[in-house]
Amino acid sequence: MALSWQTLHNLEKEYGDSFFILDLRQFENNYKEFLQGFRSIYPNTNLGYSYKTNYIPKLCQTVHSMGGYAEVVSQMEYDLAIAIGVPPTRIIFNGPLKQQEDMEKAILAGSIVNLDCLEEVEMVEALAERLPEQKIAVGLRCNFEIDTTRISRFGFDVAGGELDRAFKRLTALNNGSVDGLHCHISTAARSTESFARRTQKIIELTDHYFKDKQPRYIDIGGGFYGKMTDDLKSQFEGYIPNYQEYAEAVASQVKSKYPDNSGPELIIEPGVAIVSDVLNFVAKVVGLKTVRSRQIALVVGSIHNVKPTGTDKILSLRVYGNDENSARRKLAGKVDIVGYTCMEHDCLYKEYSGEIGIGDYAVVENMGAYTVVFKPPFIRPNPPIISYDSIQNEYTLIRRGETSQDVFSTYVI
Ligand SMILES: Cc1ncc(COP(=O)(O)O)c(C=O)c1O
């Protein structure tokens, strides 16, 4: 996204002094490139985009128009998928909390529903008994050890026999079946070796449980690294694989298991990997002060806009200066760029080195994952989102800024 102070200033006049800019074409390119890597090795691969990572409807619609699944983990996200025209059969319903009614509707409508716990197995048993003529098919999320740093809470424990119990109970139903196995391992280990191990494990489990009939799908989940600047890369331990390297780690194993292209559908569920580099956050510089040895620039944004998950990574930030007004008040040297909240920790960037002046714009890059979906309306309502089309060179509003009324509309006043 080629930005300049003038472009940002024009956008400010139209949309206000802080906003997100979404690069939809970049998202489309990421989606195609990621999926193509897998399909070039194992053609029967499909992508389910993780809505919770960033559910801006324009992104979700783009996924749908390119043939992807909606991967949702709540009824709220399920409702969004339906609202933008995704048919239930193109929705994957995951996550640890599915209300009975929601889960039943999704199963009956033909969505892929991956169960997470025995309580959900019980709900499926109750449904199967209530509707004996109806075929009830679900998937199971598997929990196996990939790295030893933490014991995951999600899915059925393989080693302890829970997966086995769930599988047997479901296949014992006259009208029940297990269609596929799912795993999503959320760990700092996003290496290709880790993905190769996940794939190997899920293939082993598939071999064990689907002796007579091959599963409809194998779902390997998400958890891949996305594209990032060298600065950001250097803050992670180990090598950051690219899309093709992930595809080789996963799809080649599925291909060797099912060489003749009639194998199960391979599903991948990236969020971060395809969305993180498609959103920038822009905040105008509105105040400067020096307090003893500390230089401070106040922007119309907050740590909650850019790091709502509390990541300790140093984000990539650029300041677009208004060089036409060289007389503007400025600071130079090490400047802390702080936000509008009343919290001391609200610092978007510590010790920025360079000039920064009133009326400049601070642009934080790589904001696509867990920003707009995570930020509460703490102190200020949420800013607008503008979509940028790099082919047409056009900016369009895709979410207006929230108003005070929006924030308080659900309270009894
Ligand atoms: C079930 C499931 N699939 C996919 C994802 C996407 O993960 P990521 O954004 O790390 O690719 C998540 C995120 O936690 C998830 O829980």
Side-chain angles (χ1 to χ4, degrees):
M1 208 182 295
L3 294 174
S4 66
W5 180 84
Q6 193 56 54
T7 310
L8 295 168
H9 188 56
N10 294 343
L11 291 171
E12 183 204 336
K13 282 193 250 164
E14 205 160 341
Y15 303 110
D17 47 17
S18 70
F19 44 86
F20 286 98
I21 307 180
L22 174 71
D23 189 338
L24 258 188
R25 300 286 177 185
Q26 177 66 26
F27 180 71
E28 274 174 19
N29 292 341
N30 286 350
Y31 176 101
K32 286 184 198 152
E33 190 189 330
F34 197 84
L35 183 57
Q36 193 40 41
F38 282 75
R39 281 192 176 163
S40 65
I41 300 168
Y42 188 72
N44 191 12
T45 308
N46 278 305
L47 191 155
Y49 171 61
S50 162
Y51 271 34
K52 77 167 161 313
T53 313
N54 187 333
Y55 51 58
I56 296 175
K58 276 275 173 235
L59 290 174
C60 301
Q61 279 161 330
T62 303
V63 168
H64 179 50
S65 69
M66 292 192 291
Y69 284 106
E71 190 273 325
V72 307
V73 290
S74 68
Q75 188 58 31
M76 176 182 93
E77 295 173 5
Y78 196 100
D79 291 343
L80 171 63
I82 297 293
I84 63 169
V86 181
T89 50
R90 300 302 294 170
I91 303 178
I92 304 169
F93 197 175
N94 289 328
L97 179 74
K98 306 177 194 82
Q99 308 286 144
Q100 173 133 12
E101 192 193 331
D102 301 338
M103 190 167 86
E104 289 187 357
K105 272 199 209 146
I107 293 174
L108 296 176
S111 302
I112 292 180
V113 179
N114 290 314
L115 309 188
D116 193 79
C117 58
L118 282 177
E119 288 70 22
E120 291 185 349
V121 173
E122 280 162 16
M123 292 185 205
V124 172
E125 286 171 335
L127 176 67
E129 271 169 40
R130 217 172 62 240
L131 301 176
E133 305 303 322
Q134 177 79 43
K135 291 235 168 304
I136 310 285
V138 291
L140 293 173
R141 178 165 175 173
C142 309
N143 182 324
F144 45 80
E145 188 174 304
I146 280 296
D147 76 283
T148 46
T149 51
R150 149 172 85 189
I151 298 180
S152 168
R153 50 173 276 222
F154 300 109
F156 296 91
D157 181 25
V158 174
E162 190 125 312
L163 179 71
D164 209 53
R165 283 191 282 283
F167 194 89
K168 286 183 177 142
R169 277 171 68 165
L170 291 163
T171 47
L173 296 167
N174 290 333
N175 52 340
S177 65
V178 177
D179 260 8
L181 295 181
H182 170 246
C183 73
H184 168 78
I185 296 151
S186 176
T187 154
R190 293 172 173 245
S191 64
T192 48
E193 294 75 30
S194 168
F195 274 90
R197 267 185 282 134
R198 297 171 202 203
T199 313
Q200 186 194 348
K201 190 74 201 165
I202 206 134
I203 290 177
E204 273 170 31
L205 290 168
T206 306
D207 278 350
H208 178 74
Y209 285 108
F210 294 85
K211 289 201 178 78
D212 310 330
K213 156 177 156 270
Q214 118 185 343
R216 184 183 137 202
Y217 64 88
I218 293 175
D219 185 339
I220 206 77
F224 311 89
Y225 279 123
K227 295 172 181 166
M228 53 181 112
T229 58
D230 288 342
D231 266 0
L232 199 51
K233 275 187 187 168
S234 67
Q235 297 176 52
F236 290 88
E237 261 179 46
Y239 174 71
I240 309 289
N242 60 34
Y243 290 177
Q244 191 60 36
E245 288 165 325
Y246 279 128
E248 274 151 26
V250 175
S252 348
Q253 289 192 66
V254 185
K255 173 77 182 169
S256 6
K257 173 77 200 158
Y258 304 101
D260 63 358
N261 290 333
S262 61
E265 179 180 356
L266 170 64
I267 301 176
I268 41 176
E269 299 175 347
V272 168
I274 59 171
V275 83
S276 49
D277 67 333
V278 310
L279 197 73
N280 288 348
F281 177 66
V282 180
K284 188 179 183 180
V285 181
V286 291
L288 299 176
K289 66 163 81 154
T290 304
V291 182
R292 295 187 286 284
S293 59
R294 188 177 179 202
Q295 301 200 96
I296 298 164
L298 171 70
V299 297
V300 190
S302 98
I303 190 94
H304 299 287
N305 294 118
V306 298
K307 284 190 186 185
T309 56
T311 166
D312 57 359
K313 300 284 177 285
I314 301 167
L315 304 172
S316 139
L317 177 139
R318 268 182 222 215
V319 172
Y320 290 82
N322 177 6
D323 295 331
E324 279 171 22
N325 178 6
S326 54
R328 73 195 187 286
R329 229 155 61 74
K330 280 182 283 204
L331 288 174
K334 298 238 180 299
V335 182
D336 286 345
I337 302 181
V338 301
Y340 58 69
T341 73
C342 310
M343 318 297 283
E344 287 288 6
H345 74 253
D346 187 4
C347 184
L348 286 78
Y349 199 94
K350 281 206 171 53
E351 303 196 337
Y352 172 79
S353 43
E355 269 196 356
I356 182 161
I358 297 286
D360 293 355
Y361 299 96
V363 178
V364 192
E365 297 166 345
N366 236 284
M367 288 287 97
Y370 303 110
T371 47
V372 289
V373 291
F374 224 89
K375 187 203 164 286
F378 180 55
I379 303 197
R380 267 173 72 95
N382 284 306
I385 304 174
I386 302 157
S387 161
Y388 173 60
D389 183 329
S390 53
I391 297 178
Q392 312 287 343
N393 196 24
E394 262 174 21
Y395 291 90
T396 326
L397 183 71
I398 56 166
R399 179 182 80 178
R400 68 168 169 80
E402 272 177 2
T403 62
S404 320
Q405 265 179 333
D406 290 329
V407 176
F408 299 118
S409 64
T410 51
Y411 292 86
V412 176
I413 295 184

